[in-house]
Amino acid sequence: MPTKQRQNVAAVGQIQKPNMPKPSKAASKKKEEDDSTDIGDGVEEWTQAKTLIKPRDQLELTEAELNEEFTRILTANNPHAPQNIVRYSFKERAYKPVSIVEQLAIHFSLDGNMLHKDSDEARRQKLRMGVLEGSTQTDTTAPETGDNMEAEEHPETPVAGEEGADREDSTKSRKERKLTNQFNYSERASQSLNNPLRERACQTEPPPREVFSATANQWEIYDAYVEELKKQQKLKEKQKAPASKKEEEARSRRRLGATESQSDDLSKLVKSCKIMERMVNQNSFDDVTQDFKYFEDPADEFRGQEGTLMPLWKFQNDKAKGLSVTALCWNPNYKDFFAVGQGSYDFVKQNRGMVQFYSLKNPSFPEYVFSTDTGVMCLDIHREHPYLLAVGLYDGNVAVYNLKANTQLPAFISSAKSGKHTDPVWQVKWQKDDMDNNPNFFSISSDGRVVSWTLVKDELLHSDVIKLSLNGTTASGPEGLKLQIHGSGTAFDFHWQIDYLYLVGTEEGKIHKCSKAYSSKFLDTYDAHNMAVDTVRWNPFHPKVFISCSSDWTVKIWQHDVKTPMFVFDLNAPVADVAWAPFSSTVFAAVTIDGKVHVFDLSVNKYEALCQQAVVAKKKTKLTHVEFNPVYPVLIVGDDRGYVTSLKLSPNLRKIPKEKKGQETQKGPEVEVAKLDKLLSLVREPDTKQGKPESQTHRAEF
């Protein structure tokens, strides 16, 4: 800044402030020197022209756009006030919008206690406190002026009565109370920004109303008490009555069709509760449900031929604690519904049994539960009547349960008079209805009998189909008589195409091919295993092939017109069960007592399993049974702790062989039969170059 301008500014400052002392000449001269030294090299900075720097992304507006006015209108409406409030009108029985909405918004409110000092209320407060406004001023000013005058007139002489005046001032100061001014003060406060308030409300539809009225007299009250007393007496008689009387009462009730309104209402409530329970379970197990429907393991592309089993749901019930899974069976009509039989294979631990029906929609609790006095060893669901369930028990009895009947008792049960087995029943199978359209099923037991059971009205009729015998083994009886020893049956399976043909597995390790037309002879006998045959099953596609497993660690595949096995697989542990896959003629799964599941596909690998996976948490847990779902790529396995685990097959375990370019992919049972025939031809084809015989067996060990 130049020196002249600074002097002018200083002069103006002197004019505006006349009371300020004038600086001396030396000080002003020194200031001028300091100002002259400040100019120095900075003159160039002041003389340089200033340029306006604009950002690159700034808009270039015209003069008209710059002069354009944008008006904003302020209204008294509250922007946060709801506009869609409805109320239910009982008069018009409909929801009506509320037109009047409060638009007032209070930003700040404070209740104060300040009063104006000239108001009447302030004067009344002062009077109540005993203080007058004018008295204090006159009392304080008058003596002061008098004392001062006297002191000025007679400065040398002492003032008369000075000590008395001091005493009066001290007494006045004691009497007067100095009041704080309650109105002459300032208050500071701050408030943060208040968030806009939001109010949400919902109103449900009013529940349906119904007017109920009734009259009650002494006779109606008496009849109600009598009916209640009869019910209690019947309940006591049921508990004391034997099983036969209980069955008769249940059958008589079904004939009469006696239903009560309370039971109907309860059944409706039970159905609604089941639906709600399934919805809750699907929400809680949503991740498992999504994996069941959509997940395909992408890692199979890098594993080559191997596959995996992904665990899904685990089914268990606390009431079945201590029981082993002894049977598994899918419902033929409802693809997510399966039955579980529970008992014990240990002779010492025989106590009770249980049949449970689970659904994949509700894995937390079974849909149906039936308790038995002895262990359940096997079960089967009728294909045409999926509500009929045949059960084989450890004490040799067979029973039939009807899911439609609202009772825990079996609709049919055998007894000692009606031809029950003398040993545990190891397997039951439903067959086609007889000539009179009566349902019938077969059972096999360790007593060597294969029995046919027919449901006729309210009776369970039986007939022995065949009695197993051991060829060449006799025992000496009384008086030198030779008695033939009967064999012990453990498993059987009926041909799905030829009605009369079936296979029987025995404890001696043999497999008999039998016919319903012959009750004393076998069509053929296979020396299959060294220990008891646990399972034997026909291939669901090829009519000549069946599979068997045993506790001798082996799984064997047979062709029924050849007595030697086609394939032999050694799994290094006793095999508890084996099952064919419903989607391929070359895929099967086996479970062993060491807790592993083995999945094979002969069309991919004839020697090794594509998957060997342990599915149990504890090492001592033994797997007992396995079953494939008829539709979904899922299998279920049961163990000796009572748990049922569902597993999903990865894409490598269920892939279709790739076709050549230009050929359409063929599907159907004929394709599956041809695929298995091709494998059999490779096994039975003579190898003349190496001098091998025509009949050769592929054996795989792990």
Side-chain angles (χ1 to χ4, degrees):
M1 187 174 181
T3 308
K4 293 181 179 180
Q5 294 178 359
R6 292 191 178 185
Q7 291 177 358
N8 293 336
V9 172
V12 171
Q14 293 176 3
I15 293 170
Q16 290 178 352
K17 299 179 182 179
N19 296 329
M20 296 176 59
K22 294 182 180 180
S24 61
K25 292 182 179 181
S28 60
K29 186 177 181 180
K30 185 177 182 181
K31 186 176 182 181
E32 289 178 359
E33 291 177 359
D34 295 339
D35 293 341
S36 62
T37 56
D38 291 342
I39 296 173
D41 299 333
V43 177
E44 296 180 358
E45 297 179 0
W46 291 98
T47 57
Q48 289 179 357
K50 295 183 180 181
T51 59
L52 183 62
I53 300 174
K54 296 182 180 181
R56 296 180 179 178
D57 57 347
Q58 183 174 349
L59 296 176
E60 298 291 339
L61 301 178
T62 61
E63 192 69 23
E65 291 177 347
L66 292 173
N67 296 331
E68 185 179 357
E69 295 183 358
F70 294 92
T71 59
R72 294 183 179 180
I73 301 173
L74 297 177
T75 61
N77 295 332
N78 184 9
H80 302 293
Q83 304 293 333
N84 55 353
I85 297 179
V86 294
R87 294 287 186 271
Y88 185 78
S89 175
F90 287 89
K91 181 180 179 181
E92 300 180 6
R93 294 183 178 275
Y95 287 98
K96 295 293 183 180
V98 178
S99 59
I100 301 174
V101 180
E102 185 66 30
Q103 301 292 338
L104 179 61
I106 299 174
H107 297 283
F108 178 75
S109 64
L110 178 65
D111 295 334
N113 54 2
M114 294 188 297
L115 296 175
H116 198 275
K117 63 181 181 178
D118 295 334
S119 63
D120 296 336
E121 181 66 24
R123 291 174 182 174
R124 284 194 294 271
Q125 286 186 6
K126 290 179 180 181
L127 290 174
R128 283 196 300 270
M129 298 175 66
V131 179
L132 294 176
E133 184 179 359
S135 61
T136 56
Q137 296 178 359
T138 57
D139 293 341
T140 55
T141 56
E144 288 178 2
T145 55
D147 294 340
N148 292 334
M149 291 293 291
E150 292 177 357
E152 289 177 0
E153 290 177 359
H154 307 282
E156 296 178 359
T157 60
V159 179
E162 184 176 356
E163 294 178 359
D166 294 338
R167 292 175 183 174
E168 290 179 0
D169 293 339
S170 62
T171 54
K172 286 183 180 180
S173 62
R174 290 176 183 175
K175 292 181 181 179
E176 294 177 359
R177 289 187 300 174
K178 188 176 181 181
L179 301 177
T180 58
N181 192 347
Q182 298 181 359
F183 310 107
N184 188 12
Y185 72 99
S186 62
E187 182 179 0
R188 294 181 180 179
S190 62
Q191 187 179 13
S192 59
L193 181 63
N194 294 328
N195 294 325
L197 299 178
R198 295 181 181 179
E199 183 178 356
R200 293 182 181 179
C202 61
Q203 188 174 6
T204 60
E205 294 185 3
R209 293 174 291 179
E210 185 178 356
V211 179
F212 173 77
S213 61
T215 57
N217 51 28
Q218 293 182 353
W219 289 110
E220 291 180 354
I221 296 172
Y222 176 77
D223 293 340
Y225 274 105
V226 170
E227 290 180 2
E228 185 67 24
L229 184 61
K230 288 181 179 179
K231 288 181 181 179
Q232 293 179 1
Q233 290 178 354
K234 288 182 179 179
L235 186 61
K236 292 180 180 179
E237 291 176 358
K238 279 184 185 179
Q239 296 175 356
K240 295 180 181 180
S244 60
K245 291 184 179 179
K246 292 181 180 180
E247 294 172 10
E248 292 176 0
E249 290 179 1
R251 290 167 188 165
S252 62
R253 285 183 181 178
R254 288 197 297 272
R255 289 172 192 163
L256 295 174
T259 57
E260 298 177 359
S261 59
Q262 294 181 357
S263 62
D264 293 342
D265 297 339
L266 186 61
S267 63
K268 294 179 182 178
L269 180 62
V270 169
K271 185 177 180 181
S272 302
C273 291
K274 279 187 177 182
I275 295 173
M276 289 296 297
E277 186 182 15
R278 289 185 179 184
M279 294 172 64
V280 171
N281 276 283
Q282 287 185 3
N283 290 333
S284 58
F285 295 99
D286 181 64
D287 52 347
V288 182
T289 306
Q290 297 296 329
D291 292 340
F292 164 71
K293 288 185 177 180
Y294 306 112
F295 182 77
E296 300 293 346
D297 193 357
D300 276 12
E301 298 179 1
F302 309 100
R303 292 195 182 102
Q305 298 177 351
E306 296 181 357
T308 58
L309 297 171
M310 183 177 66
L312 297 175
W313 299 280
K314 181 172 283 189
F315 304 87
Q316 60 175 339
N317 189 3
D318 294 337
K319 295 181 180 179
K321 192 174 183 180
L323 299 177
S324 302
V325 176
T326 55
L328 293 172
C329 183
W330 287 96
N331 192 292
N333 283 23
Y334 303 97
K335 308 305 180 184
D336 63 323
F337 200 52
F338 64 93
V340 181
Q342 293 180 317
S344 178
Y345 289 113
D346 193 351
F347 176 77
V348 181
K349 296 181 180 180
Q350 292 301 323
N351 185 11
R352 61 188 177 91
M354 190 173 291
V355 177
Q356 301 182 81
F357 283 85
Y358 282 99
S359 174
L360 298 180
K361 300 176 183 177
N362 183 13
S364 62
F365 197 79
E367 301 291 330
Y368 297 94
V369 178
F370 300 98
S371 299
T372 59
D373 297 333
T374 59
V376 176
M377 307 310 296
C378 55
L379 53 82
D380 191 31
I381 301 175
H382 201 287
R383 296 194 174 276
E384 296 181 0
H385 308 289
Y387 54 87
L388 292 179
L389 175 71
V391 177
L393 304 176
Y394 188 84
D395 60 356
N397 281 319
V398 293
V400 177
Y401 287 89
N402 188 356
L403 299 184
K404 289 185 176 181
N406 189 16
T407 179
Q408 293 290 323
L409 301 175
F412 302 90
I413 190 168
S414 63
S415 62
K417 295 181 180 180
S418 60
K420 60 165 280 190
H421 292 280
T422 57
D423 282 340
V425 181
W426 294 114
Q427 197 165 359
V428 291
K429 281 285 184 181
W430 286 100
Q431 293 298 299
K432 294 181 180 179
D433 297 349
D434 60 4
M435 301 296 293
D436 298 330
N437 293 328
N438 293 322
N440 69 95
F441 65 94
F442 285 69
S443 65
I444 188 170
S445 172
S446 299
D447 60 1
R449 296 166 57 207
V450 177
V451 183
S452 173
W453 303 88
T454 306
L455 281 61
V456 180
K457 294 183 180 180
D458 295 336
E459 297 180 3
L460 191 61
L461 304 180
H462 81 286
S463 62
D464 291 348
V465 179
I466 195 172
K467 290 185 179 180
L468 304 179
S469 61
L470 297 177
N471 296 329
T473 57
T474 58
S476 59
E479 299 180 358
L481 295 176
K482 291 185 178 181
L483 302 177
Q484 191 172 8
I485 299 176
H486 293 286
S488 298
T490 56
F492 71 148
D493 192 24
F494 290 84
H495 202 281
W496 51 271
Q497 193 175 30
I498 306 173
D499 294 337
Y500 63 86
L501 190 62
Y502 64 96
L503 299 170
V504 176
T506 63
E507 287 185 0
E508 295 78 21
K510 298 182 182 296
I511 297 177
H512 303 293
K513 184 167 65 173
C514 307
S515 174
K516 295 179 183 178
Y518 300 96
S519 60
S520 59
K521 292 183 179 181
F522 305 132
L523 298 181
D524 207 344
T525 300
Y526 308 91
D527 293 329
H529 297 277
N530 297 323
M531 298 181 69
V533 178
D534 293 327
T535 305
V536 57
R537 299 196 185 190
W538 289 100
N539 189 286
F541 295 96
H542 202 290
K544 294 183 179 181
V545 178
F546 65 91
I547 194 170
S548 65
C549 70
S550 171
S551 300
D552 62 355
W553 299 11
T554 59
V555 174
K556 297 183 180 182
I557 297 177
W558 306 77
Q559 189 172 346
H560 78 87
D561 52 0
V562 180
K563 287 193 174 184
T564 57
M566 298 291 181
F567 297 93
V568 179
F569 302 95
D570 193 340
L571 304 185
N572 285 335
V575 185
D577 194 10
V578 67
W580 290 103
F583 54 84
S584 176
S585 62
T586 58
V587 177
F588 65 92
V591 292
T592 55
I593 65 171
D594 58 352
K596 291 184 179 180
V597 179
H598 305 259
V599 181
F600 292 82
D601 190 351
L602 301 179
S603 63
V604 178
N605 194 332
K606 300 189 295 292
Y607 304 100
E608 295 181 354
L610 302 184
C611 175
Q612 299 181 46
Q613 185 170 331
V615 297
V616 293
K618 296 184 179 180
K619 294 183 179 180
K620 295 183 179 180
T621 304
K622 301 177 182 179
L623 295 181
T624 56
H625 285 277
V626 61
E627 281 290 337
F628 278 91
N629 187 281
V631 176
Y632 306 114
V634 173
L635 58 85
I636 53 176
V637 294
D639 56 35
D640 60 349
R641 297 177 59 222
Y643 293 91
V644 178
T645 306
S646 57
L647 306 166
K648 184 176 181 181
L649 281 72
S650 64
N652 278 358
L653 301 181
R654 48 187 168 88
K655 63 182 179 181
I656 301 173
K658 296 181 179 180
E659 298 291 341
K660 297 180 180 179
K661 293 183 179 180
Q663 294 183 358
E664 296 181 358
T665 57
Q666 298 179 357
K667 297 181 180 180
E670 296 82 5
V671 178
E672 298 297 332
V673 172
K675 184 168 62 174
L676 190 54
D677 277 334
K678 184 178 180 180
L679 289 172
L680 297 177
S681 63
L682 293 175
V683 174
R684 292 301 177 186
E685 185 178 0
D687 193 351
T688 56
K689 294 182 180 180
Q690 298 180 2
K692 292 184 180 180
E694 293 184 0
S695 177
Q696 60 182 13
T697 302
H698 281 247
R699 185 180 183 89
E701 296 183 1
F702 304 98

